[in-house]
Amino acid sequence: MSEQTENLTSEASTENQSQQTADTSQTSTEQNLGDAQPADKSLLESLNEEETNDEDKTTEADENQKDEAGKKDADKADEGAPEKYEEFKAPEGVALDAEVVKVYSEVAKELNLSQDKAQSVIDKLTPILAQRQAQQYQEAKKKWAERTLSDPEIGGENWKKTRASAHLALREFCDEKGQFKDADIAELAASAGDHPGLIKLFAHFGASLKEDRGVKQEADNRAKGEYTAEDFYKKRS
Protein backbone atom coordinates (compact mmCIF):
# COMPACT_ATOMS: atom_id res chain seq x y z
CA MET A 1 0.00 0.00 0.00
CA SER A 2 1.30 3.39 -0.89
CA GLU A 3 2.07 6.09 1.71
CA GLN A 4 -0.76 8.29 0.38
CA THR A 5 -3.30 5.52 0.80
CA GLU A 6 -2.14 4.88 4.39
CA ASN A 7 -2.56 8.59 5.23
CA LEU A 8 -6.10 8.63 3.84
CA THR A 9 -6.98 5.52 5.81
CA SER A 10 -5.53 7.02 9.01
CA GLU A 11 -7.47 10.26 8.52
CA ALA A 12 -10.70 8.40 7.89
CA SER A 13 -10.20 6.33 11.02
CA THR A 14 -9.49 9.45 13.11
CA GLU A 15 -12.57 11.16 11.68
CA ASN A 16 -14.74 8.14 12.46
CA GLN A 17 -13.47 8.05 16.05
CA SER A 18 -14.21 11.78 16.44
CA GLN A 19 -17.75 11.32 15.06
CA GLN A 20 -18.39 8.40 17.40
CA THR A 21 -17.16 10.47 20.35
CA ALA A 22 -19.45 13.37 19.36
CA ASP A 23 -22.40 11.03 18.89
CA THR A 24 -21.77 9.46 22.27
CA SER A 25 -21.53 12.89 23.93
CA GLN A 26 -24.76 14.06 22.26
CA THR A 27 -26.59 10.90 23.29
CA SER A 28 -25.42 11.34 26.89
CA THR A 29 -26.52 14.98 26.89
CA GLU A 30 -29.91 14.09 25.41
CA GLN A 31 -30.35 11.42 28.05
CA ASN A 32 -29.54 13.91 30.84
CA LEU A 33 -31.97 16.46 29.39
CA GLY A 34 -34.53 13.74 29.02
CA ASP A 35 -34.18 12.96 32.71
CA ALA A 36 -34.46 16.64 33.63
CA GLN A 37 -37.48 17.58 31.50
CA PRO A 38 -39.95 16.20 28.95
CA ALA A 39 -39.17 16.86 25.35
CA ASP A 40 -42.12 19.23 24.92
CA LYS A 41 -41.62 21.27 28.14
CA SER A 42 -39.22 24.10 28.91
CA LEU A 43 -36.89 24.13 31.89
CA LEU A 44 -39.18 26.52 33.79
CA GLU A 45 -42.15 24.28 33.08
CA SER A 46 -40.20 21.30 34.29
CA LEU A 47 -39.12 23.10 37.45
CA ASN A 48 -42.72 24.13 38.10
CA GLU A 49 -43.84 20.57 37.56
CA GLU A 50 -41.26 19.36 40.05
CA GLU A 51 -42.56 21.84 42.65
CA THR A 52 -46.12 20.74 41.97
CA ASN A 53 -45.09 17.14 42.48
CA ASP A 54 -43.51 18.14 45.78
CA GLU A 55 -46.75 19.88 46.80
CA ASP A 56 -48.72 16.78 45.86
CA LYS A 57 -46.44 14.72 48.07
CA THR A 58 -46.96 17.19 50.93
CA THR A 59 -50.74 17.10 50.43
CA GLU A 60 -50.65 13.32 50.40
CA ALA A 61 -48.67 13.36 53.64
CA ASP A 62 -51.20 15.71 55.24
CA GLU A 63 -54.06 13.47 54.16
CA ASN A 64 -52.29 10.49 55.65
CA GLN A 65 -51.94 12.36 58.93
CA LYS A 66 -55.66 13.23 58.88
CA ASP A 67 -56.52 9.61 58.21
CA GLU A 68 -54.40 8.54 61.16
CA ALA A 69 -56.06 11.16 63.36
CA GLY A 70 -59.49 9.99 62.22
CA LYS A 71 -58.57 6.42 63.04
CA LYS A 72 -57.44 7.51 66.50
CA ASP A 73 -60.75 9.32 67.05
CA ALA A 74 -62.62 6.25 65.87
CA ASP A 75 -60.57 4.07 68.20
CA LYS A 76 -61.34 6.52 71.02
CA ALA A 77 -65.06 6.42 70.22
CA ASP A 78 -64.94 2.61 70.29
CA GLU A 79 -63.31 2.49 73.70
CA GLY A 80 -66.61 1.59 75.33
CA ALA A 81 -68.35 2.86 78.44
CA PRO A 82 -66.22 4.63 81.06
CA GLU A 83 -66.28 3.68 84.71
CA LYS A 84 -68.41 6.75 85.34
CA TYR A 85 -69.81 9.16 82.77
CA GLU A 86 -68.84 12.79 82.93
CA GLU A 87 -71.64 15.31 83.29
CA PHE A 88 -73.63 15.36 80.07
CA LYS A 89 -74.10 18.72 78.36
CA ALA A 90 -77.64 19.81 77.55
CA PRO A 91 -78.34 21.26 74.08
CA GLU A 92 -79.18 24.95 74.00
CA GLY A 93 -82.69 25.68 75.25
CA VAL A 94 -83.10 22.23 76.83
CA ALA A 95 -82.89 21.28 80.50
CA LEU A 96 -81.84 17.76 81.51
CA ASP A 97 -83.79 16.16 84.32
CA ALA A 98 -81.44 14.68 86.93
CA GLU A 99 -83.47 11.48 87.36
CA VAL A 100 -83.74 10.97 83.60
CA VAL A 101 -79.97 11.46 83.22
CA LYS A 102 -79.36 8.92 85.97
CA VAL A 103 -81.47 6.26 84.25
CA TYR A 104 -80.00 7.15 80.85
CA SER A 105 -76.45 6.72 82.20
CA GLU A 106 -77.33 3.23 83.43
CA VAL A 107 -78.77 2.26 80.04
CA ALA A 108 -75.80 3.76 78.16
CA LYS A 109 -73.42 1.78 80.34
CA GLU A 110 -75.34 -1.43 79.67
CA LEU A 111 -75.01 -0.72 75.94
CA ASN A 112 -71.29 -0.03 76.44
CA LEU A 113 -71.52 3.45 74.90
CA SER A 114 -68.43 5.63 75.15
CA GLN A 115 -68.68 9.15 76.58
CA ASP A 116 -68.76 10.67 73.09
CA LYS A 117 -71.42 8.30 71.78
CA ALA A 118 -73.60 8.73 74.86
CA GLN A 119 -73.35 12.53 74.53
CA SER A 120 -74.18 12.26 70.83
CA VAL A 121 -77.44 10.48 71.65
CA ILE A 122 -78.40 13.30 74.02
CA ASP A 123 -77.48 15.96 71.45
CA LYS A 124 -79.73 14.41 68.82
CA LEU A 125 -82.60 13.10 70.92
CA THR A 126 -83.35 15.72 73.59
CA PRO A 127 -84.26 18.60 71.21
CA ILE A 128 -86.80 16.33 69.50
CA LEU A 129 -88.27 15.29 72.85
CA ALA A 130 -88.46 18.92 73.98
CA GLN A 131 -90.19 19.92 70.75
CA ARG A 132 -92.67 17.08 71.08
CA GLN A 133 -93.38 18.03 74.69
CA ALA A 134 -94.09 21.63 73.65
CA GLN A 135 -96.46 20.40 70.93
CA GLN A 136 -98.31 18.19 73.40
CA TYR A 137 -98.70 21.13 75.78
CA GLN A 138 -100.15 23.34 73.04
CA GLU A 139 -102.53 20.55 72.02
CA ALA A 140 -103.63 20.18 75.66
CA LYS A 141 -104.30 23.92 75.95
CA LYS A 142 -106.39 23.80 72.78
CA LYS A 143 -108.48 20.94 74.15
CA TRP A 144 -108.96 22.78 77.47
CA ALA A 145 -110.29 25.83 75.62
CA GLU A 146 -112.70 23.66 73.61
CA ARG A 147 -113.97 22.00 76.79
CA THR A 148 -114.44 25.38 78.48
CA LEU A 149 -116.44 26.92 75.64
CA SER A 150 -118.64 23.83 75.31
CA ASP A 151 -119.20 23.34 79.05
CA PRO A 152 -122.94 23.70 79.89
CA GLU A 153 -122.19 25.56 83.14
CA ILE A 154 -119.65 28.15 82.03
CA GLY A 155 -119.64 27.92 78.23
CA GLY A 156 -122.15 28.38 75.45
CA GLU A 157 -124.79 30.96 76.34
CA ASN A 158 -123.27 31.37 79.81
CA TRP A 159 -119.80 32.27 78.52
CA LYS A 160 -120.43 36.02 78.58
CA LYS A 161 -121.51 35.92 82.25
CA THR A 162 -118.60 33.57 83.07
CA ARG A 163 -116.09 35.97 81.55
CA ALA A 164 -117.47 38.90 83.53
CA SER A 165 -117.34 37.00 86.83
CA ALA A 166 -113.86 35.56 86.19
CA HIS A 167 -112.58 38.98 85.18
CA LEU A 168 -113.91 40.47 88.41
CA ALA A 169 -112.03 37.82 90.39
CA LEU A 170 -108.81 38.37 88.45
CA ARG A 171 -108.92 42.09 89.20
CA GLU A 172 -108.37 41.22 92.86
CA PHE A 173 -104.89 39.99 91.93
CA CYS A 174 -103.98 42.82 89.55
CA ASP A 175 -102.63 46.32 90.03
CA GLU A 176 -104.11 49.51 88.58
CA LYS A 177 -102.50 48.74 85.19
CA GLY A 178 -104.06 45.31 85.01
CA GLN A 179 -100.80 43.45 85.68
CA PHE A 180 -100.72 40.51 88.07
CA LYS A 181 -99.22 41.46 91.42
CA ASP A 182 -98.43 37.85 92.33
CA ALA A 183 -95.97 35.93 90.15
CA ASP A 184 -97.55 32.57 91.08
CA ILE A 185 -100.99 33.71 89.95
CA ALA A 186 -99.47 35.08 86.74
CA GLU A 187 -97.74 31.73 86.05
CA LEU A 188 -100.95 29.81 86.75
CA ALA A 189 -103.02 32.04 84.46
CA ALA A 190 -100.45 31.71 81.66
CA SER A 191 -100.00 27.93 81.86
CA ALA A 192 -103.54 26.76 82.71
CA GLY A 193 -105.66 29.77 81.85
CA ASP A 194 -107.74 27.73 79.38
CA HIS A 195 -108.55 24.89 81.76
CA PRO A 196 -112.29 24.71 82.56
CA GLY A 197 -111.64 23.85 86.19
CA LEU A 198 -109.56 26.97 86.79
CA ILE A 199 -112.05 29.20 84.99
CA LYS A 200 -114.88 27.74 87.08
CA LEU A 201 -112.97 28.64 90.24
CA PHE A 202 -112.40 32.23 89.12
CA ALA A 203 -115.98 32.59 87.86
CA HIS A 204 -117.37 31.30 91.17
CA PHE A 205 -115.08 33.60 93.13
CA GLY A 206 -116.07 36.54 90.97
CA ALA A 207 -119.78 35.80 91.37
CA SER A 208 -119.33 35.65 95.15
CA LEU A 209 -117.53 38.99 95.08
CA LYS A 210 -120.35 40.50 93.06
CA GLU A 211 -122.95 39.20 95.52
CA ASP A 212 -121.00 40.39 98.55
CA ARG A 213 -120.51 43.80 97.03
CA GLY A 214 -124.23 44.02 96.25
CA VAL A 215 -125.13 43.29 99.87
CA LYS A 216 -122.56 45.78 101.09
CA GLN A 217 -123.83 48.44 98.71
CA GLU A 218 -127.40 47.83 99.91
CA ALA A 219 -126.29 48.20 103.53
CA ASP A 220 -124.47 51.42 102.70
CA ASN A 221 -127.51 52.78 100.93
CA ARG A 222 -129.70 52.01 103.91
CA ALA A 223 -127.27 53.68 106.24
CA LYS A 224 -127.36 56.75 104.05
CA GLY A 225 -131.13 56.57 103.63
CA GLU A 226 -130.70 55.76 99.98
CA TYR A 227 -132.58 52.47 99.91
CA THR A 228 -134.09 52.41 96.44
CA ALA A 229 -136.90 50.52 94.74
CA GLU A 230 -134.24 48.65 92.80
CA ASP A 231 -132.73 47.39 96.04
CA PHE A 232 -136.19 46.29 97.16
CA TYR A 233 -136.85 44.26 94.02
CA LYS A 234 -133.35 42.76 94.15
CA LYS A 235 -134.00 41.56 97.66
CA ARG A 236 -137.37 40.01 96.69
CA SER A 237 -135.85 38.25 93.73
Side-chain angles (χ1 to χ4, degrees), residues 23-66:
D23 291 342
T24 301
S25 177
Q26 181 176 358
T27 301
S28 177
T29 302
E30 288 177 351
Q31 289 177 349
N32 291 334
L33 286 175
D35 294 338
Q37 68 179 97
D40 59 341
K41 292 185 181 294
S42 66
L43 288 174
L44 289 177
E45 289 175 322
S46 299
L47 290 174
N48 183 57
E49 188 177 67
E50 290 176 3
E51 291 178 358
T52 302
N53 290 335
D54 291 339
E55 290 176 358
D56 291 340
K57 292 179 182 178
T58 302
T59 302
E60 183 178 355
D62 292 339
E63 290 178 352
N64 291 335
Q65 290 179 356
K66 290 180 180 179

Side-chain angles (χ1 to χ4, degrees), residues 167-209:
H167 179 67
L168 183 61
L170 286 172
R171 285 174 58 185
E172 294 295 312
F173 303 96
C174 296
D175 57 22
E176 296 177 353
K177 296 181 179 180
Q179 301 296 321
F180 285 108
K181 295 180 290 186
D182 191 298
D184 294 331
I185 299 296
E187 182 180 3
L188 180 62
S191 60
D194 296 311
H195 197 286
L198 183 61
I199 292 179
K200 286 179 180 180
L201 287 174
F202 275 98
H204 179 76
F205 179 48
S208 298
L209 283 175

Side-chain angles (χ1 to χ4, degrees), residues 56-100:
D56 291 340
K57 292 179 182 178
T58 302
T59 302
E60 183 178 355
D62 292 339
E63 290 178 352
N64 291 335
Q65 290 179 356
K66 290 180 180 179
D67 291 339
E68 291 178 1
K71 291 179 181 178
K72 289 181 180 179
D73 291 340
D75 293 340
K76 182 179 179 181
D78 293 335
E79 287 177 356
E83 185 66 25
K84 182 179 180 182
Y85 287 106
E86 299 176 4
E87 183 178 356
F88 292 113
K89 299 178 181 178
E92 185 176 357
V94 178
L96 296 178
D97 183 270
E99 188 63 26
V100 173

Side-chain angles (χ1 to χ4, degrees), residues 105-160:
S105 298
E106 295 173 356
V107 174
K109 195 170 185 65
E110 290 177 3
L111 296 175
N112 198 33
L113 297 181
S114 66
Q115 178 73 37
D116 291 340
K117 286 185 176 180
Q119 179 66 55
S120 178
V121 173
I122 290 179
D123 293 341
K124 295 178 180 179
L125 188 60
T126 48
I128 298 176
L129 293 177
Q131 183 180 8
R132 181 56 184 155
Q133 186 177 17
Q135 290 175 347
Q136 291 175 338
Y137 171 65
Q138 293 300 326
E139 291 172 0
K141 288 184 64 177
K142 183 179 179 180
K143 291 180 179 179
W144 291 344
E146 292 174 352
R147 284 171 53 192
T148 297
L149 295 175
S150 62
D151 188 279
E153 179 184 346
I154 60 175
E157 296 179 354
N158 296 323
W159 176 239
K160 186 176 180 180

